[in-house]
């Protein structure tokens, strides 16, 4: 049985408050020169104090050996099964630019690319064309095909989002992006009879793009992938009886939070801004998703030192959060991003839960090797929500 | 969702190489006189060094408390669900003698037994009749019943394999072997209407065996059990995009490897032979299943000292393997076989994973109690393949 099916009937609304602090890409690997990971290297007295007082463990976002993208990493943290809940690339790009999704829309991720005079792709990113050009090209490509409205919205450089808006559209189609060069864009085909209209419209759009962009070298063609629709997710309020809010500096994480029914709070660009937002809204909600991006960005860049500094900066924000006296504070990540691997990884994520009713363990420092000895063990990330709710006394007894 | 369904879409072929070293029956229990298990007693500097550099844990082949046979033990290690994948006794005996299975064959394990003049069984193993007699009796019993060819092939002593080859045969029938003495062989009945032909043929074969063997006391009857067909398993190449090879000195393990599509490499009878085979074929494959039988045999015999010697011998083979520089080396077992229990057991199996990207733990020695503190925790054996693939950088990111 799904964790949420178990929790839903016993969840109850109470005044207690939960903060779920998600440090994107938190987990790391040792620097071979020192044998210490980013967390083991950073000076972080506040996080260590929380670890010492609370209960720790290592959370597994999707499964052993599985490196999660941002979407499954977060759905798991919100308690949704990251395997059955499938958020496609198109939808993720769209929520990442705050695109106003409507019921029935099919979204695709678009790439402006370069093709030669035979139509073969020579550069899948059109030389990372400038965003201003992207803006202009998206205007040229927004059109109507039959009764389907096609809305192109720029993201950045060569990346854009295509929204197909109309009736009877299904995302079950193949992609036109061959993800390689030297070949032409692929014909899009329906994977189910129900998707035939979508395939036809998408192919017509490809033809339209080819003609419309012909003189726009290097961005003289567009490739589509990740056709998807907004998933129908029950809201966190419905399942957990929470009044949840999201604080995140990056739009993609606000978008993910919106998909599970969180209210999105306006905030600035720094962790201090986010703490200020938390403080200002403290009385209005009983659950806060507090997302910090910077560790993931440093890890992706392979910048061990910057990831260490980021951890130290986050550590300095902890007293401001604890001053609000959350009943439960969880500090975790949606996945590991070791600087050594310059990307997301499969390694379990250090996780701590601080609250009056946790059973403390012997962990005295917040890092990968100490959390391994923690009271939560190595556990699926979907268990974090039930644990947080239980520790906030928001779950009744299960069964007679 | 099955682990393999998760892994299949993200698996990619790369030049990196994985060695899955399966030390059959690896796990043990302490000798009550010393308080030390076989692994804790053996001197094994090379395995301990791998454990110190790598990440360790205890793998659970099927479930807590479940003692696996060789088939589920291995299917789990290969990443197949050992509960839904059912390799019957008949098929296992057949693959164990390299019997050339054909699509549609129904296989049964046969026992030559002794019956008295009332037809009641007095010895289920016919006094462990000599293998030469078995060979002769199998020739006498190979026959044709209607349009079904019946091929009897000797295994050893009283054991043989019966292959029923024909159309419309189903293995869903009961067994004739009552697994006790003092009663006659059981009538075989169809468990589904589709198996009625099989039941009829099997009963005719029992009658034929009774008449044909009447004068062959003590082997004057044959009992059948474990009717089964070769399961339809997707190959490891199909699921993992690997080019896998098997090195095993015992035919049963080669047979299990063949069922999942591994290429079987010719080797000798010793561990040195197996290492030489690995070396000779190193460039041709990217995954090697390397099976060592001797610990299980010593455990089954209750020979603690011989199991310890076996571990020390295996340890001496490690430098030869590491000289090939595998990207990932996993050392594990298909189950525990404690000398103290003289048989397979349910105890979790010490497991180590060595590779450049593993997150090292504090384990410094390869044994049951140290692995318990390892970074992999106590985990299902079906996770070993995803972990090995991830550490060899053969898995893409999951989800958007």
């Amino acid at each position: 049985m799904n964790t949420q099916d178990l929790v839903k009937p016993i969840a109850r609304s109470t005044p207690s408050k939960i903060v779920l602090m998600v440090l994107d890409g938190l987990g790391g690997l040792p620097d071979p020169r020192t044998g210490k990971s980013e967390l083991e290297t950073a000076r972080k007295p506040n996080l260590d104090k929380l670890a010492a007082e609370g209960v720790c463990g290592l959370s597994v976002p999707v499964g052993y050996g599985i490196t999660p993208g941002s979407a499954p990493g977060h759905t798991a943290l919100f308690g949704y099964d990251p395997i059955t809940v499938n958020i496609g690339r198109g939808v993720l790009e769209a929520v990442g630019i705050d695109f106003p999704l409507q019921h029935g829309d099919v979204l695709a991720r678009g790439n402006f690319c370069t093709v030669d005079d035979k139509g073969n792709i020579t550069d899948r990113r059109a030389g990372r064309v400038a965003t201003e050009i992207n803006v202009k090209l998206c205007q040229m490509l927004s059109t109507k095909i039959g009764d389907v409205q096609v809305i192109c919205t720029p993201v950045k450089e060569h990346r854009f989002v295509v929204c197909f808006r109309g009736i009877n559209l299904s995302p079950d189609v193949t992609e036109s992006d061959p993800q390689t060069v030297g070949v032409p864009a692929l014909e899009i085909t329906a994977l189910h009879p129900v998707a035939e209209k979508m395939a036809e419209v998408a192919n017509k759009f490809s033809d339209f793009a080819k003609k419309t962009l012909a003189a726009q070298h290097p961005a003289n063609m567009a490739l589509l992938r990740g056709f998807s629709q907004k998933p129908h997710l029950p809201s966190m309020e419905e399942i957990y009886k929470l009044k949840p809010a999201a604080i995140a500096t990056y739009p993609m994480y606000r978008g993910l939070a919106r998909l599970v029914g969180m209210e999105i709070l306006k905030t600035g660009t720094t962790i201090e801004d986010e703490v200020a937002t938390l403080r200002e809204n403290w009385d209005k909600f009983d659950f806060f998703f507090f997302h910090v991006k910077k560790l993931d960005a440093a890890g992706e860049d392979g910048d061990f030192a910057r990831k260490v500094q980021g951890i130290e900066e986050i550590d300095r924000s902890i007293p401001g959060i604890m001053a609000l006296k959350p009943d439960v504070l969880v500090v975790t990540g949606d996945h590991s991003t070791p600087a050594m691997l310059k990307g997301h990884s499969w390694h379990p994520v250090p996780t701590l839960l601080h609250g009056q009713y946790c059973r403390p363990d012997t962990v005295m420092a917040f890092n990968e090797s100490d959390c391994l000895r923690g009271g939560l063990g190595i556990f699926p990330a979907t268990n974090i929500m039930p644990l947080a709710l239980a520790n906030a006394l928001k779950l009744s007894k299960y069964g007679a």
Side-chain angles (χ1 to χ4, degrees), chain A:
Chain A
M1 187 193 248
N2 190 303
T3 308
Q4 290 186 325
D5 294 336
L6 196 61
V7 166
K8 188 177 174 183
I10 56 175
R12 60 186 178 190
S13 178
T14 75
S16 61
K17 289 182 194 292
I18 298 169
V19 176
L20 174 65
M21 192 173 193
V22 177
L23 309 181
D24 206 300
L26 175 63
L29 283 174
D31 179 334
R33 291 166 304 182
T34 64
K36 288 183 175 178
S37 73
E38 298 90 328
L39 273 169
E40 288 166 335
T41 306
R43 215 187 89 77
K44 45 172 181 37
N46 297 303
L47 284 165
D48 289 345
K49 181 162 182 278
L50 290 178
E53 293 173 356
V55 60
C56 293
L58 290 169
S59 60
V60 177
V62 177
Y64 271 54
I66 306 298
T67 295
S70 297
H74 278 84
T75 48
L77 289 177
F78 300 155
Y80 297 76
D81 179 354
I83 292 167
T84 55
V85 172
N86 185 11
I87 298 174
R89 189 78 228 171
V91 168
L92 194 67
E93 290 284 345
V95 302
I97 55 168
D98 285 331
F99 181 85
L101 287 176
Q102 289 187 14
H103 180 74
D105 286 355
V106 172
L107 284 302
R109 153 79 182 264
N111 264 24
F112 290 112
C113 70
T114 311
V115 293
D116 62 21
D117 47 16
K118 286 179 191 141
N120 289 328
I121 301 161
T122 57
D123 182 343
R124 282 185 62 247
R125 296 181 182 83
R128 293 193 183 271
V129 63
T131 305
E132 308 88 79
I133 294 176
N134 182 333
V135 172
K136 187 189 74 175
L137 299 180
C138 279
Q139 284 168 352
M140 290 168 67
L141 288 189
S142 291
T143 184
K144 196 150 188 186
I145 295 174
D147 61 353
V148 177
Q149 200 186 346
V150 184
I151 309 157
C152 295
T153 313
V155 180
K156 203 178 168 185
E157 297 175 340
H158 57 286
R159 306 199 307 271
F160 65 105
V161 171
V162 189
C163 171
F164 296 93
R165 181 167 290 166
I167 54 162
N168 296 329
L169 296 179
S170 156
D172 284 338
V173 295
T174 61
E175 314 192 322
S176 71
D177 187 344
Q179 307 240 13
T180 184
V181 295
V183 296
L186 301 173
E187 168 103 6
I188 290 166
T189 58
L191 295 168
H192 283 290
V194 72
E196 272 163 19
K197 178 176 174 185
M198 182 69 252
E200 192 191 326
V201 169
N203 283 321
K204 283 185 177 163
F205 175 74
S206 287
D207 292 343
F208 173 73
K210 195 170 182 180
K211 278 174 213 146
T212 309
L213 301 177
Q216 304 295 326
H217 190 279
N220 60 357
M221 181 51 179
L223 301 174
L224 303 183
R225 60 186 165 106
F227 286 85
S228 43
Q229 279 179 319
K230 182 178 160 176
H232 294 283
L233 297 178
S235 72
M236 288 182 85
E237 182 171 2
E238 204 179 312
I239 299 164
Y240 305 127
K241 301 197 181 65
L242 290 171
K243 200 162 163 15
I247 303 172
T249 59
Y250 270 53
M252 183 189 287
Y253 308 97
R254 294 195 291 265
L256 285 167
R258 197 180 287 118
L259 287 179
V260 295
M262 291 193 214
E263 189 155 327
I264 311 302
L265 304 181
K266 265 197 128 150
T267 191
T269 57
T270 68
I271 302 176
E272 294 77 56
D273 293 336
E274 293 187 82
V275 174
T277 304
L278 181 69
R279 193 181 306 114
E280 288 152 21
N281 291 276
W282 189 247
D283 295 336
K284 295 182 215 144
F285 302 91
D286 55 11
F287 178 90
F288 296 89
F289 161 52
F290 188 105
H291 183 269
V292 182
K293 178 67 178 172
K294 65 189 324 165
L295 304 187
D296 183 57
E300 295 257 13
D301 291 346
D303 193 335
F304 191 97
R306 204 172 97 226
K307 196 170 166 194
V308 169
Q309 286 160 19
I311 293 166
E312 295 180 345
E313 186 184 339
I314 291 162
D315 190 72
R316 290 190 290 273
S317 76
I318 295 293
I321 296 172
M322 291 310 289
L324 299 167
K325 300 194 196 310
D327 295 274
V328 171
L329 171 64
V330 174
V331 183
T332 186
D334 56 336
H335 53 76
S336 294
T337 306
M340 193 185 151
L341 274 169
K342 296 188 182 185
H344 293 197
S345 81
W346 61 91
H347 302 89
V349 183
T351 298
L352 76 80
L353 186 151
H354 187 274
Q356 193 180 348
Y357 304 111
C358 67
R359 183 186 283 162
D361 49 32
T362 59
V363 176
M364 300 300 284
F366 188 53
N367 59 53
E368 295 81 1
S369 49
D370 286 274
C371 283
L372 178 57
R373 298 184 290 104
L376 299 177
I378 302 174
F379 67 102
T382 47
N383 287 336
I384 289 177
M385 278 303 300
L387 279 169
L389 293 163
N391 277 276
L393 305 184
K394 287 182 189 291
L395 293 184
S396 310
K397 191 161 67 177
Y398 171 77

